[in-house]
Amino acid sequence: MVRRLCSLAVIALSLAGPAAAGAAPFTFSTSLLRGTDDGTEPRMTVAPDDTRYVVTNAGGTAVVFASKDGGLTWSRTAADPPGQQVPTIDTDIVAYPTGRILASELDFAGVNFPSGFSDDGGKTWQQSRGSTQLADQDRQWFAVDPHDGGANVYMLFHNLASGVAQHNMWVAHSGDGGATFGPPIPIALPPSDAWNDLQCSDSGGPSTLQVNPRTGRVYAFWTTRSSVATGTNANTGGCGASIFGPLEFNIVNATRVWTAYSDDHGTTWQTSVAVDDSQTGQIVSMQLAYGALDNKGNVYVAFPESPQPYPKAGGAALKITHADPDLKTWSKPATLIPPHPDGDLGVTLVHIVAGDPGKVALAYYEAEHLPGIAEPVWYPHVGQSLDALDPTPRFSDQKAADVPAYRWTAAEMMGICGAEGPAQGVENGLACSRSTDVWGITLDSACRVSIAWPTKGDEFAKGNGGTKELPNSQAGTFVSTQTAGPDLCSGNATPGGTQGTAFTPPSPPQGCSDARAPVSRVRKIAASRARITLSGTSQDRGCAAKVRSVAVAVGRAVAHGRCRFLRADGRLGPAVSCLRTSYVVARGTRSWRLTLAGRLPAGSYVAWVRGTDVANNVEGRRRAVNLRRFRIR
């Protein structure tokens, strides 16, 4: 369980503040997760039954907390995510439409991502395999496609030390619900500007990964530091930024925000620049520039922007831009909070979620001066706009909790502590402390925002950002849950297990009311101890007349109505009810094919096939149609 906080006594906290003109006020309840470390990077998700999960650190271990009462009380799951050896604070967690959760941490033992999934609320975990177990990986993000029960899962990361030689953003796809992840595929390819910007490790890393639940399109967001050659308009990319701008190492103050999408499970990507301040050198990310999708597919990027070039990070404004689902045209960035005249204040570490078109909520730290305290003090804030698609959107800025998070200047928050000069960027990256980068942010079943955020509550000493001597200081990971005020979806649509996107069923073609699922059949089976190949057909019967994807579950019957289902790596999962089918995505739609290779024991097997059409109608189990039994001898 957790302790509840109050601004006076350590019991409970619920804060409401003045809202901007034209926006209704909203309030939050805040909880401290008992036993958690300070200086963490927590992540948060909400399952379809409205169970909330947070992954963070406690005692140096990545742990998961759950709440089944709307965020009022929290408890640590019975078991911790598997595979940890030297865990770090880089974590992520996502929920599936089936209720499965997947949690991950960056581990220094292999500089990779030990990850695992649980189908029983964290009582037991199974470790993911494949490209989560590579080396030299950094800052992972996961996203789930809700179609096919969450069979398609994606992981985004960037390579670390090897990025000096060749740097990229990479996406790996899992077609079996996160059990195995395939080889990572680079998003940017030479000689594109996106690839050029990433070279010489000139990015602080990816900012988030999203899936459009209506179409299955995958979106990635990341930042780069680009530069313009003196006296020209020629963009010199990441390596040129170290020549024409300051040399930076490890901590990269970005001047551009990039986005990309893929319609083929991350195999090919279309890239687009959302924000470009490379001409002025203004910082536009403060380590990340988070992206989100609304439930009609519009794309948003929220970011802080410094009034002055690096190394002046203070006084940053809060801005937002948006684009159509094809990323063809980005709007002129709108200012939600103007630059602050005090160069030590402003906003930083901005995150965003979206519901209906134009309805967004942003979470960020905002600084203020306290009497008798020399350094700025940073507090968690949540802002809301219900007309973010307008050129001049209205915006309400609300302090989420009166608990101080950091006590630092804006520059120190971003790891800028070296003396100005040619070596400052290297000194910053090697010798300077900085704030943590990533929060958790998501929507609950009522389409209200919840955030998980860290503090640095240890003893204050110059250079560590600690807040222990300040009023209401507490060390650890906090969760703030919206308790009143406008939600982001007029219909209160649920996230459906996606991260930061409210889910609503896709609209059928104009004049079409499609409620009929496809009909699929297994036509051929070739099975041996080493390999199973299944092929068949799937036909959509509705007016949309298009099958979006086909998934197949192959299970080996054991006893008493229980089966062990094959995963994408050809291994059998644990015994479960044969009705709890675990699917793997097949290749093709109207004509499909699935091959699974492994060491397969003799016995009786069953194959279920189901199709999903573009109107999100999912085929049910019909033994006489889409089930086939077979044996391996």
Side-chain angles (χ1 to χ4, degrees), residues 212-260:
N212 185 327
R214 296 163 55 85
T215 65
R217 175 175 285 181
V218 188
Y219 290 85
F221 303 80
W222 71 95
T223 62
T224 64
R225 184 185 63 140
S226 191
S227 184
V228 176
T230 304
T232 74
N233 290 322
N235 193 292
T236 60
C239 294
S242 297
I243 299 174
F244 298 102
L247 175 64
E248 293 187 69
F249 178 80
N250 187 27
I251 301 172
V252 178
N253 292 271
T255 60
R256 276 182 165 181
V257 181
W258 284 90
T259 60

mmCIF file of all heavy atoms in Angstrom, residues 212-260:
data_model
loop_
_atom_site.group_PDB
_atom_site.id
_atom_site.type_symbol
_atom_site.label_atom_id
_atom_site.label_comp_id
_atom_site.label_asym_id
_atom_site.label_seq_id
_atom_site.Cartn_x
_atom_site.Cartn_y
_atom_site.Cartn_z
ATOM 1 N N ASN A 212 -1.745 3.927 -33.928
ATOM 2 C CA ASN A 212 -3.109 4.355 -34.180
ATOM 3 C C ASN A 212 -4.021 3.124 -34.069
ATOM 4 O O ASN A 212 -3.927 2.210 -34.891
ATOM 5 C CB ASN A 212 -3.221 4.971 -35.574
ATOM 6 C CG ASN A 212 -4.585 5.557 -35.858
ATOM 7 O OD1 ASN A 212 -5.601 5.058 -35.382
ATOM 8 N ND2 ASN A 212 -4.619 6.625 -36.638
ATOM 9 N N PRO A 213 -4.909 3.072 -33.066
ATOM 10 C CA PRO A 213 -5.711 1.858 -32.879
ATOM 11 C C PRO A 213 -6.771 1.664 -33.951
ATOM 12 O O PRO A 213 -7.350 0.587 -34.059
ATOM 13 C CB PRO A 213 -6.357 2.087 -31.504
ATOM 14 C CG PRO A 213 -6.408 3.555 -31.358
ATOM 15 C CD PRO A 213 -5.184 4.083 -32.042
ATOM 16 N N ARG A 214 -7.018 2.679 -34.776
ATOM 17 C CA ARG A 214 -7.992 2.544 -35.867
ATOM 18 C C ARG A 214 -7.373 1.895 -37.093
ATOM 19 O O ARG A 214 -8.051 1.181 -37.835
ATOM 20 C CB ARG A 214 -8.530 3.930 -36.245
ATOM 21 C CG ARG A 214 -9.300 4.622 -35.144
ATOM 22 C CD ARG A 214 -9.437 6.124 -35.412
ATOM 23 N NE ARG A 214 -10.036 6.391 -36.717
ATOM 24 C CZ ARG A 214 -11.340 6.428 -36.954
ATOM 25 N NH1 ARG A 214 -12.184 6.211 -35.964
ATOM 26 N NH2 ARG A 214 -11.800 6.692 -38.160
ATOM 27 N N THR A 215 -6.080 2.161 -37.328
ATOM 28 C CA THR A 215 -5.447 1.718 -38.567
ATOM 29 C C THR A 215 -4.257 0.791 -38.355
ATOM 30 O O THR A 215 -3.812 0.137 -39.299
ATOM 31 C CB THR A 215 -4.956 2.935 -39.374
ATOM 32 O OG1 THR A 215 -3.921 3.610 -38.633
ATOM 33 C CG2 THR A 215 -6.096 3.916 -39.627
ATOM 34 N N GLY A 216 -3.689 0.749 -37.154
ATOM 35 C CA GLY A 216 -2.483 -0.029 -36.909
ATOM 36 C C GLY A 216 -1.211 0.674 -37.330
ATOM 37 O O GLY A 216 -0.121 0.114 -37.180
ATOM 38 N N ARG A 217 -1.308 1.909 -37.834
ATOM 39 C CA ARG A 217 -0.107 2.654 -38.231
ATOM 40 C C ARG A 217 0.722 2.972 -36.986
ATOM 41 O O ARG A 217 0.200 3.372 -35.949
ATOM 42 C CB ARG A 217 -0.495 3.929 -38.965
ATOM 43 C CG ARG A 217 0.679 4.830 -39.324
ATOM 44 C CD ARG A 217 0.243 6.027 -40.160
ATOM 45 N NE ARG A 217 -0.037 5.619 -41.544
ATOM 46 C CZ ARG A 217 -0.412 6.475 -42.505
ATOM 47 N NH1 ARG A 217 -0.573 7.766 -42.229
ATOM 48 N NH2 ARG A 217 -0.623 6.029 -43.734
ATOM 49 N N VAL A 218 2.039 2.794 -37.104
ATOM 50 C CA VAL A 218 2.963 3.005 -35.994
ATOM 51 C C VAL A 218 3.676 4.340 -36.189
ATOM 52 O O VAL A 218 4.159 4.636 -37.289
ATOM 53 C CB VAL A 218 4.001 1.873 -35.911
ATOM 54 C CG1 VAL A 218 4.828 1.991 -34.641
ATOM 55 C CG2 VAL A 218 3.319 0.515 -35.972
ATOM 56 N N TYR A 219 3.763 5.132 -35.118
ATOM 57 C CA TYR A 219 4.420 6.437 -35.166
ATOM 58 C C TYR A 219 5.566 6.478 -34.163
ATOM 59 O O TYR A 219 5.411 6.060 -33.013
ATOM 60 C CB TYR A 219 3.445 7.559 -34.810
ATOM 61 C CG TYR A 219 2.370 7.817 -35.842
ATOM 62 C CD1 TYR A 219 1.201 7.070 -35.847
ATOM 63 C CD2 TYR A 219 2.511 8.824 -36.798
ATOM 64 C CE1 TYR A 219 0.200 7.308 -36.778
ATOM 65 C CE2 TYR A 219 1.507 9.066 -37.728
ATOM 66 C CZ TYR A 219 0.359 8.304 -37.714
ATOM 67 O OH TYR A 219 -0.637 8.543 -38.640
ATOM 68 N N ALA A 220 6.708 6.999 -34.598
ATOM 69 C CA ALA A 220 7.865 7.195 -33.727
ATOM 70 C C ALA A 220 8.209 8.678 -33.678
ATOM 71 O O ALA A 220 8.030 9.409 -34.662
ATOM 72 C CB ALA A 220 9.062 6.399 -34.240
ATOM 73 N N PHE A 221 8.723 9.117 -32.532
ATOM 74 C CA PHE A 221 9.078 10.523 -32.313
ATOM 75 C C PHE A 221 10.472 10.573 -31.696
ATOM 76 O O PHE A 221 10.774 9.802 -30.773
ATOM 77 C CB PHE A 221 8.078 11.189 -31.356
ATOM 78 C CG PHE A 221 6.643 11.131 -31.811
ATOM 79 C CD1 PHE A 221 5.886 9.982 -31.619
ATOM 80 C CD2 PHE A 221 6.041 12.215 -32.420
ATOM 81 C CE1 PHE A 221 4.555 9.908 -32.027
ATOM 82 C CE2 PHE A 221 4.716 12.168 -32.831
ATOM 83 C CZ PHE A 221 3.976 11.011 -32.642
ATOM 84 N N TRP A 222 11.323 11.466 -32.182
ATOM 85 C CA TRP A 222 12.653 11.626 -31.603
ATOM 86 C C TRP A 222 13.176 13.032 -31.906
ATOM 87 O O TRP A 222 12.613 13.770 -32.719
ATOM 88 C CB TRP A 222 13.617 10.570 -32.123
ATOM 89 C CG TRP A 222 14.044 10.707 -33.561
ATOM 90 C CD1 TRP A 222 15.172 11.309 -34.039
ATOM 91 C CD2 TRP A 222 13.329 10.230 -34.729
ATOM 92 N NE1 TRP A 222 15.228 11.231 -35.410
ATOM 93 C CE2 TRP A 222 14.115 10.580 -35.859
ATOM 94 C CE3 TRP A 222 12.132 9.546 -34.910
ATOM 95 C CZ2 TRP A 222 13.719 10.265 -37.158
ATOM 96 C CZ3 TRP A 222 11.736 9.238 -36.212
ATOM 97 C CH2 TRP A 222 12.519 9.587 -37.311
ATOM 98 N N THR A 223 14.252 13.397 -31.227
ATOM 99 C CA THR A 223 14.842 14.723 -31.394
ATOM 100 C C THR A 223 16.264 14.611 -31.910
ATOM 101 O O THR A 223 16.947 13.604 -31.681
ATOM 102 C CB THR A 223 14.851 15.501 -30.068
ATOM 103 O OG1 THR A 223 15.668 14.791 -29.111
ATOM 104 C CG2 THR A 223 13.443 15.638 -29.510
ATOM 105 N N THR A 224 16.726 15.642 -32.603
ATOM 106 C CA THR A 224 18.107 15.714 -33.075
ATOM 107 C C THR A 224 18.626 17.139 -32.906
ATOM 108 O O THR A 224 17.854 18.090 -32.822
ATOM 109 C CB THR A 224 18.252 15.334 -34.556
ATOM 110 O OG1 THR A 224 17.543 16.292 -35.359
ATOM 111 C CG2 THR A 224 17.714 13.940 -34.820
ATOM 112 N N ARG A 225 19.937 17.265 -32.865
ATOM 113 C CA ARG A 225 20.556 18.586 -32.889
ATOM 114 C C ARG A 225 21.183 18.758 -34.264
ATOM 115 O O ARG A 225 22.132 18.069 -34.632
ATOM 116 C CB ARG A 225 21.622 18.711 -31.808
ATOM 117 C CG ARG A 225 22.241 20.109 -31.731
ATOM 118 C CD ARG A 225 23.359 20.139 -30.724
ATOM 119 N NE ARG A 225 24.449 19.259 -31.114
ATOM 120 C CZ ARG A 225 25.740 19.563 -30.978
ATOM 121 N NH1 ARG A 225 26.097 20.721 -30.476
ATOM 122 N NH2 ARG A 225 26.677 18.711 -31.317
ATOM 123 N N SER A 226 20.625 19.651 -35.040
ATOM 124 C CA SER A 226 21.152 19.935 -36.359
ATOM 125 C C SER A 226 21.730 21.345 -36.358
ATOM 126 O O SER A 226 21.535 22.117 -35.414
ATOM 127 C CB SER A 226 20.054 19.791 -37.417
ATOM 128 O OG SER A 226 20.599 19.824 -38.706
ATOM 129 N N SER A 227 22.424 21.693 -37.411
ATOM 130 C CA SER A 227 23.065 22.999 -37.469
ATOM 131 C C SER A 227 23.128 23.481 -38.908
ATOM 132 O O SER A 227 22.976 22.702 -39.857
ATOM 133 C CB SER A 227 24.478 22.921 -36.879
ATOM 134 O OG SER A 227 25.079 24.194 -36.837
ATOM 135 N N VAL A 228 23.347 24.754 -39.063
ATOM 136 C CA VAL A 228 23.470 25.397 -40.373
ATOM 137 C C VAL A 228 24.867 25.971 -40.507
ATOM 138 O O VAL A 228 25.368 26.635 -39.593
ATOM 139 C CB VAL A 228 22.407 26.496 -40.548
ATOM 140 C CG1 VAL A 228 22.603 27.226 -41.863
ATOM 141 C CG2 VAL A 228 21.005 25.903 -40.480
ATOM 142 N N ALA A 229 25.518 25.692 -41.635
ATOM 143 C CA ALA A 229 26.872 26.201 -41.860
ATOM 144 C C ALA A 229 26.871 27.726 -41.839
ATOM 145 O O ALA A 229 25.946 28.374 -42.346
ATOM 146 C CB ALA A 229 27.414 25.692 -43.189
ATOM 147 N N THR A 230 27.886 28.289 -41.263
ATOM 148 C CA THR A 230 27.996 29.740 -41.129
ATOM 149 C C THR A 230 27.891 30.425 -42.483
ATOM 150 O O THR A 230 28.578 30.073 -43.447
ATOM 151 C CB THR A 230 29.336 30.106 -40.465
ATOM 152 O OG1 THR A 230 29.443 29.421 -39.213
ATOM 153 C CG2 THR A 230 29.422 31.610 -40.231
ATOM 154 N N GLY A 231 27.001 31.411 -42.562
ATOM 155 C CA GLY A 231 26.837 32.197 -43.783
ATOM 156 C C GLY A 231 26.067 31.506 -44.876
ATOM 157 O O GLY A 231 26.013 32.009 -46.005
ATOM 158 N N THR A 232 25.444 30.342 -44.582
ATOM 159 C CA THR A 232 24.688 29.602 -45.599
ATOM 160 C C THR A 232 23.357 29.152 -45.003
ATOM 161 O O THR A 232 23.084 29.336 -43.822
ATOM 162 C CB THR A 232 25.459 28.359 -46.080
ATOM 163 O OG1 THR A 232 25.422 27.357 -45.061
ATOM 164 C CG2 THR A 232 26.905 28.701 -46.405
ATOM 165 N N ASN A 233 22.551 28.529 -45.848
ATOM 166 C CA ASN A 233 21.324 27.879 -45.391
ATOM 167 C C ASN A 233 21.459 26.363 -45.432
ATOM 168 O O ASN A 233 20.472 25.647 -45.324
ATOM 169 C CB ASN A 233 20.140 28.313 -46.256
ATOM 170 C CG ASN A 233 19.759 29.762 -46.020
ATOM 171 O OD1 ASN A 233 19.800 30.230 -44.880
ATOM 172 N ND2 ASN A 233 19.398 30.466 -47.084
ATOM 173 N N ALA A 234 22.672 25.881 -45.606
ATOM 174 C CA ALA A 234 22.908 24.447 -45.761
ATOM 175 C C ALA A 234 22.893 23.757 -44.407
ATOM 176 O O ALA A 234 23.654 24.122 -43.498
ATOM 177 C CB ALA A 234 24.250 24.212 -46.441
ATOM 178 N N ASN A 235 22.009 22.767 -44.282
ATOM 179 C CA ASN A 235 21.948 22.009 -43.042
ATOM 180 C C ASN A 235 23.084 20.994 -43.020
ATOM 181 O O ASN A 235 23.263 20.221 -43.958
ATOM 182 C CB ASN A 235 20.597 21.306 -42.919
ATOM 183 C CG ASN A 235 20.365 20.781 -41.517
ATOM 184 O OD1 ASN A 235 21.032 19.868 -41.082
ATOM 185 N ND2 ASN A 235 19.414 21.370 -40.814
ATOM 186 N N THR A 236 23.845 20.979 -41.942
ATOM 187 C CA THR A 236 25.045 20.157 -41.868
ATOM 188 C C THR A 236 24.846 18.879 -41.063
ATOM 189 O O THR A 236 25.797 18.122 -40.863
ATOM 190 C CB THR A 236 26.194 20.963 -41.240
ATOM 191 O OG1 THR A 236 25.806 21.366 -39.924
ATOM 192 C CG2 THR A 236 26.496 22.204 -42.071
ATOM 193 N N GLY A 237 23.631 18.651 -40.575
ATOM 194 C CA GLY A 237 23.344 17.414 -39.868
ATOM 195 C C GLY A 237 24.007 17.335 -38.514
ATOM 196 O O GLY A 237 24.535 18.311 -37.969
ATOM 197 N N GLY A 238 23.995 16.122 -37.947
ATOM 198 C CA GLY A 238 24.515 15.927 -36.604
ATOM 199 C C GLY A 238 26.003 16.147 -36.482
ATOM 200 O O GLY A 238 26.471 16.778 -35.530
ATOM 201 N N CYS A 239 26.777 15.639 -37.435
ATOM 202 C CA CYS A 239 28.227 15.819 -37.354
ATOM 203 C C CYS A 239 28.603 17.288 -37.559
ATOM 204 O O CYS A 239 29.502 17.816 -36.897
ATOM 205 C CB CYS A 239 28.917 14.933 -38.387
ATOM 206 S SG CYS A 239 28.719 13.163 -38.076
ATOM 207 N N GLY A 240 27.892 17.952 -38.474
ATOM 208 C CA GLY A 240 28.163 19.370 -38.684
ATOM 209 C C GLY A 240 27.822 20.203 -37.475
ATOM 210 O O GLY A 240 28.447 21.250 -37.225
ATOM 211 N N ALA A 241 26.834 19.757 -36.683
ATOM 212 C CA ALA A 241 26.468 20.511 -35.484
ATOM 213 C C ALA A 241 27.616 20.574 -34.494
ATOM 214 O O ALA A 241 27.747 21.537 -33.740
ATOM 215 C CB ALA A 241 25.249 19.874 -34.823
ATOM 216 N N SER A 242 28.454 19.542 -34.488
ATOM 217 C CA SER A 242 29.610 19.551 -33.597
ATOM 218 C C SER A 242 30.735 20.438 -34.126
ATOM 219 O O SER A 242 31.674 20.759 -33.392
ATOM 220 C CB SER A 242 30.129 18.125 -33.409
ATOM 221 O OG SER A 242 29.154 17.325 -32.794
ATOM 222 N N ILE A 243 30.645 20.810 -35.405
ATOM 223 C CA ILE A 243 31.659 21.690 -35.987
ATOM 224 C C ILE A 243 31.195 23.142 -35.940
ATOM 225 O O ILE A 243 31.909 24.030 -35.474
ATOM 226 C CB ILE A 243 31.956 21.279 -37.442
ATOM 227 C CG1 ILE A 243 32.507 19.842 -37.484
ATOM 228 C CG2 ILE A 243 32.927 22.260 -38.088
ATOM 229 C CD1 ILE A 243 32.678 19.310 -38.892
ATOM 230 N N PHE A 244 29.982 23.374 -36.418
ATOM 231 C CA PHE A 244 29.466 24.741 -36.482
ATOM 232 C C PHE A 244 28.755 25.156 -35.198
ATOM 233 O O PHE A 244 28.416 26.326 -35.019
ATOM 234 C CB PHE A 244 28.520 24.885 -37.674
ATOM 235 C CG PHE A 244 29.192 24.638 -38.980
ATOM 236 C CD1 PHE A 244 29.044 23.441 -39.645
ATOM 237 C CD2 PHE A 244 30.015 25.605 -39.554
ATOM 238 C CE1 PHE A 244 29.673 23.210 -40.854
ATOM 239 C CE2 PHE A 244 30.649 25.385 -40.768
ATOM 240 C CZ PHE A 244 30.483 24.185 -41.424
ATOM 241 N N GLY A 245 28.492 24.212 -34.326
ATOM 242 C CA GLY A 245 27.908 24.500 -33.022
ATOM 243 C C GLY A 245 28.780 23.873 -31.960
ATOM 244 O O GLY A 245 29.856 23.352 -32.251
ATOM 245 N N PRO A 246 28.356 23.852 -30.698
ATOM 246 C CA PRO A 246 29.177 23.251 -29.642
ATOM 247 C C PRO A 246 29.206 21.736 -29.751
ATOM 248 O O PRO A 246 28.225 21.110 -30.133
ATOM 249 C CB PRO A 246 28.467 23.707 -28.368
ATOM 250 C CG PRO A 246 27.060 23.925 -28.780
ATOM 251 C CD PRO A 246 27.119 24.425 -30.187
ATOM 252 N N LEU A 247 30.347 21.147 -29.408
ATOM 253 C CA LEU A 247 30.475 19.698 -29.352
ATOM 254 C C LEU A 247 29.751 19.204 -28.106
ATOM 255 O O LEU A 247 30.041 19.633 -26.994
ATOM 256 C CB LEU A 247 31.950 19.299 -29.299
ATOM 257 C CG LEU A 247 32.247 17.806 -29.116
ATOM 258 C CD1 LEU A 247 31.751 17.008 -30.300
ATOM 259 C CD2 LEU A 247 33.743 17.587 -28.891
ATOM 260 N N GLU A 248 28.770 18.318 -28.292
ATOM 261 C CA GLU A 248 28.030 17.769 -27.158
ATOM 262 C C GLU A 248 28.213 16.266 -27.106
ATOM 263 O O GLU A 248 28.356 15.602 -28.135
ATOM 264 C CB GLU A 248 26.542 18.111 -27.256
ATOM 265 C CG GLU A 248 26.254 19.597 -27.090
ATOM 266 C CD GLU A 248 24.776 19.889 -27.013
ATOM 267 O OE1 GLU A 248 24.158 19.503 -25.995
ATOM 268 O OE2 GLU A 248 24.233 20.476 -27.954
ATOM 269 N N PHE A 249 28.178 15.740 -25.895
ATOM 270 C CA PHE A 249 28.378 14.309 -25.680
ATOM 271 C C PHE A 249 27.376 13.817 -24.645
ATOM 272 O O PHE A 249 27.244 14.408 -23.579
ATOM 273 C CB PHE A 249 29.804 14.030 -25.187
ATOM 274 C CG PHE A 249 30.074 12.576 -24.907
ATOM 275 C CD1 PHE A 249 30.357 11.690 -25.930
ATOM 276 C CD2 PHE A 249 30.011 12.077 -23.621
ATOM 277 C CE1 PHE A 249 30.595 10.346 -25.674
ATOM 278 C CE2 PHE A 249 30.242 10.735 -23.357
ATOM 279 C CZ PHE A 249 30.533 9.877 -24.388
ATOM 280 N N ASN A 250 26.660 12.733 -24.961
ATOM 281 C CA ASN A 250 25.724 12.070 -24.062
ATOM 282 C C ASN A 250 24.443 12.887 -23.873
ATOM 283 O O ASN A 250 23.354 12.415 -24.128
ATOM 284 C CB ASN A 250 26.387 11.777 -22.706
ATOM 285 C CG ASN A 250 25.509 10.929 -21.808
ATOM 286 O OD1 ASN A 250 24.684 10.156 -22.281
ATOM 287 N ND2 ASN A 250 25.689 11.063 -20.503
ATOM 288 N N ILE A 251 24.557 14.118 -23.375
ATOM 289 C CA ILE A 251 23.395 14.992 -23.218
ATOM 290 C C ILE A 251 23.354 15.908 -24.431
ATOM 291 O O ILE A 251 24.252 16.729 -24.639
ATOM 292 C CB ILE A 251 23.486 15.817 -21.925
ATOM 293 C CG1 ILE A 251 23.580 14.883 -20.715
ATOM 294 C CG2 ILE A 251 22.277 16.725 -21.791
ATOM 295 C CD1 ILE A 251 23.863 15.599 -19.422
ATOM 296 N N VAL A 252 22.320 15.784 -25.241
ATOM 297 C CA VAL A 252 22.237 16.520 -26.500
ATOM 298 C C VAL A 252 21.032 17.454 -26.456
ATOM 299 O O VAL A 252 19.898 17.011 -26.256
ATOM 300 C CB VAL A 252 22.122 15.555 -27.699
ATOM 301 C CG1 VAL A 252 21.999 16.325 -29.003
ATOM 302 C CG2 VAL A 252 23.338 14.627 -27.742
ATOM 303 N N ASN A 253 21.277 18.734 -26.606
ATOM 304 C CA ASN A 253 20.215 19.737 -26.595
ATOM 305 C C ASN A 253 19.718 19.937 -28.022
ATOM 306 O O ASN A 253 20.363 20.578 -28.849
ATOM 307 C CB ASN A 253 20.742 21.050 -26.007
ATOM 308 C CG ASN A 253 21.042 20.918 -24.529
ATOM 309 O OD1 ASN A 253 20.190 21.143 -23.687
ATOM 310 N ND2 ASN A 253 22.275 20.535 -24.203
ATOM 311 N N ALA A 254 18.550 19.388 -28.311
ATOM 312 C CA ALA A 254 18.077 19.268 -29.685
ATOM 313 C C ALA A 254 17.549 20.583 -30.231
ATOM 314 O O ALA A 254 17.051 21.445 -29.501
ATOM 315 C CB ALA A 254 16.995 18.207 -29.767
ATOM 316 N N THR A 255 17.637 20.708 -31.558
ATOM 317 C CA THR A 255 17.060 21.847 -32.271
ATOM 318 C C THR A 255 15.976 21.419 -33.252
ATOM 319 O O THR A 255 15.346 22.268 -33.869
ATOM 320 C CB THR A 255 18.157 22.608 -33.044
ATOM 321 O OG1 THR A 255 18.774 21.715 -33.998
ATOM 322 C CG2 THR A 255 19.219 23.151 -32.096
ATOM 323 N N ARG A 256 15.765 20.111 -33.398
ATOM 324 C CA ARG A 256 14.735 19.590 -34.292
ATOM 325 C C ARG A 256 13.953 18.466 -33.617
ATOM 326 O O ARG A 256 14.499 17.746 -32.776
ATOM 327 C CB ARG A 256 15.352 19.027 -35.586
ATOM 328 C CG ARG A 256 15.645 20.048 -36.672
ATOM 329 C CD ARG A 256 16.208 19.345 -37.889
ATOM 330 N NE ARG A 256 16.176 20.189 -39.076
ATOM 331 C CZ ARG A 256 16.587 19.804 -40.280
ATOM 332 N NH1 ARG A 256 17.053 18.576 -40.458
ATOM 333 N NH2 ARG A 256 16.527 20.612 -41.315
ATOM 334 N N VAL A 257 12.685 18.329 -34.022
ATOM 335 C CA VAL A 257 11.869 17.193 -33.616
ATOM 336 C C VAL A 257 11.439 16.458 -34.877
ATOM 337 O O VAL A 257 10.868 17.053 -35.795
ATOM 338 C CB VAL A 257 10.626 17.632 -32.822
ATOM 339 C CG1 VAL A 257 9.822 16.400 -32.403
ATOM 340 C CG2 VAL A 257 11.015 18.469 -31.615
ATOM 341 N N TRP A 258 11.727 15.149 -34.913
ATOM 342 C CA TRP A 258 11.393 14.307 -36.056
ATOM 343 C C TRP A 258 10.252 13.365 -35.712
ATOM 344 O O TRP A 258 10.093 12.941 -34.560
ATOM 345 C CB TRP A 258 12.604 13.471 -36.474
ATOM 346 C CG TRP A 258 13.649 14.224 -37.229
ATOM 347 C CD1 TRP A 258 14.715 14.890 -36.698
ATOM 348 C CD2 TRP A 258 13.740 14.388 -38.648
ATOM 349 N NE1 TRP A 258 15.462 15.458 -37.695
ATOM 350 C CE2 TRP A 258 14.886 15.164 -38.911
ATOM 351 C CE3 TRP A 258 12.965 13.948 -39.709
ATOM 352 C CZ2 TRP A 258 15.276 15.514 -40.194
ATOM 353 C CZ3 TRP A 258 13.346 14.295 -40.996
ATOM 354 C CH2 TRP A 258 14.488 15.063 -41.233
ATOM 355 N N THR A 259 9.474 13.030 -36.724
ATOM 356 C CA THR A 259 8.427 12.017 -36.601
ATOM 357 C C THR A 259 8.523 11.083 -37.803
ATOM 358 O O THR A 259 9.098 11.437 -38.838
ATOM 359 C CB THR A 259 7.028 12.647 -36.554
ATOM 360 O OG1 THR A 259 6.818 13.392 -37.763
ATOM 361 C CG2 THR A 259 6.900 13.583 -35.369
ATOM 362 N N ALA A 260 7.943 9.900 -37.655
ATOM 363 C CA ALA A 260 7.907 8.941 -38.765
ATOM 364 C C ALA A 260 6.759 7.976 -38.547
ATOM 365 O O ALA A 260 6.338 7.750 -37.409
ATOM 366 C CB ALA A 260 9.225 8.179 -38.866
#
